[in-house]
Amino acid sequence: MTDTTHISCSAPVSAEQTAVEERLTEYVLASFDNASDARLKQIMRALVRHLHAFIRDVRLSEAEWNKAIEFLTAVGHITDDKRQEFILLSDVLGASMQTINVNNEAYRNATEATVFGPFFVDDAPEIPIGGDIANGASGQPCWVEGTVKDTDGNPIPGARIEVWEADEDGFYDVQYPDGRVSGRAHLFTDENGTYNFWGLTPTPYPIPHDGPVGQMLEATGRSPMRASHLHFMVAAEGYRTLVTHIFVTGDELLKSDTVFGVKQSLIKNFDEQLAGTPTPDGRALADQTWARTRFDIVLAPAVA
Ligand code: BEZ
Ligand code: FE
């Protein structure tokens, strides 16, 4: 009887067939022998090893290979300077988040990083401490306050804090065709490392799902929804730049965020205040409820 190797998801594969497949993998691996860039060589060899293992593991059919090529072609066709479907694909496969994990190893009590997302814009307006990032974006006003410190608890004055978020309809300013700049700004910590500003209570929204990535989510029974969040990017000389968000305690999407961005330490209470409750800075919001949250940020040293 022919010796066989069992491969998951499929019928047994004969020893002869296994040898043919392994020979091809070795042959392709050897094709990188003369690569002068050692890192590139390492990456290409690992890519081939994993790709061949995947094809052999699922016993990929030629029809499925064609479908994959069609899918990647569609991802390419919808991508332009405004829409990056490849990053979206990386996001929903958890590849973006895994790259963040690999590159932002936990360092003492430093705040954890999470996915960047496609909606950051350079040159968002500067606001003073206590300013309002909404600039016309709709939503419940939310007072956000906190500190930026190093891992020994020393305040970091002058840290640059970029914040951006979707409006209550689930859209970022850049998703509107009229060129508005709203729901985003930057500010700097004061001499005590403290900051505060008015933002909007975050609301859930779907990632762009009208393209091939959306079709893939649909076909696999996945939701395009992101858990409600407020984005931060915090930079200060001598410290690792932190890209993160804060999430909302109790949000039912925390467990199913479609880009796997949620980390327990980033879930914060957003406490709703009754209309008429005095605001921290005396802002008049007489007939409106508002919310408040606190996010104390700890930056790792740049060389950690
Ligand atoms: C976002 O948070 O804005 C986002 C992140 C990943 C993919 C799409 C959107
Ligand atoms: Fe976002």
Side-chain angles (χ1 to χ4, degrees):
M1 201 170 105
T2 318
D3 193 16
T4 57
T5 303
H6 287 270
I7 297 179
S8 55
C9 313
S10 185
V13 177
S14 71
E16 291 80 357
Q17 174 64 14
T18 299
V20 167
E21 294 171 10
E22 285 177 350
R23 240 188 342 266
L24 176 65
T25 303
E26 289 307 318
Y27 189 25
V28 180
L29 289 176
S31 74
F32 297 108
D33 281 356
N34 296 331
S36 55
D37 181 331
R39 175 69 175 155
L40 180 61
K41 180 173 174 173
Q42 179 194 14
I43 289 173
M44 293 311 296
R45 283 176 56 90
L47 175 65
V48 165
R49 252 189 286 107
H50 289 283
L51 186 59
H52 284 219
F54 160 72
I55 293 166
R56 296 176 63 207
D57 181 18
V58 302
R59 308 308 298 168
L60 193 71
S61 74
E62 286 168 320
E64 289 162 344
W65 181 89
N66 267 314
K67 187 107 182 141
I69 297 296
E70 274 168 25
F71 174 76
L72 290 174
T73 303
V75 169
H77 281 161
I78 205 171
T79 295
D80 59 19
D81 57 343
K82 295 214 170 55
R83 175 156 185 168
Q84 233 305 353
E85 195 81 354
F86 281 107
I87 295 183
L88 209 55
L89 178 58
S90 163
D91 293 341
V92 301
L93 294 179
S96 307
M97 205 53 217
Q98 194 67 291
T99 306
I100 288 161
N101 286 341
V102 165
N103 288 279
N104 293 269
E105 213 171 309
Y107 180 82
R108 297 180 57 194
N109 54 339
T111 302
E112 293 189 283
T114 189
V115 68
F116 195 37
F119 298 122
F120 174 75
V121 173
D122 264 328
D123 303 324
E126 179 174 348
I127 54 165
I129 288 182
D132 188 352
I133 74 165
N135 197 26
S138 60
Q140 182 185 58
C142 179
W143 177 256
V144 184
E145 63 189 354
T147 54
V148 180
K149 293 185 175 170
D150 69 16
T151 50
D152 292 321
N154 301 305
I156 303 178
R160 182 183 175 117
I161 305 177
E162 301 273 356
V163 285
W164 66 105
E165 64 178 319
D167 64 17
E168 67 181 344
D169 296 318
F171 295 110
Y172 287 81
D173 53 0
V174 290
Q175 294 177 285
Y176 292 98
D178 56 10
R180 71 184 74 175
V181 177
S182 58
R184 69 178 70 244
H186 74 272
L187 68 162
F188 295 91
T189 52
D190 68 13
E191 63 280 8
N192 302 311
T194 65
Y195 73 90
N196 52 62
F197 63 89
W198 283 100
L200 303 168
T201 307
T203 48
Y205 66 86
I207 62 165
H209 59 111
D210 55 343
V213 168
Q215 285 165 13
M216 189 273 276
L217 292 176
E218 169 103 43
T220 53
R222 283 178 52 182
S223 157
M225 295 302 289
R226 287 227 57 200
S228 308
H229 59 274
L230 167 60
H231 291 265
F232 280 75
M233 178 160 67
V234 186
E237 184 86 33
Y239 297 90
R240 192 199 276 173
T241 295
L242 172 70
V243 174
T244 196
H245 349 311
I246 51 174
F247 298 91
V248 180
T249 302
D251 181 355
E252 58 188 30
L253 292 166
L254 288 172
K255 285 198 171 61
S256 59
D257 183 46
T258 199
V259 301
F260 309 98
V262 178
K263 290 183 169 174
Q264 195 59 35
S265 67
L266 300 175
I267 302 172
K268 305 293 172 193
N269 293 335
F270 282 72
D271 298 317
E272 180 150 330
Q273 313 291 312
L274 294 176
T277 309
T279 55
D281 62 348
R283 179 180 176 183
L285 287 172
D287 295 330
Q288 238 186 313
T289 61
W290 56 282
R292 65 185 304 161
T293 191
R294 181 166 189 94
F295 182 33
D296 291 321
I297 297 161
V298 177
L299 297 185
V303 289

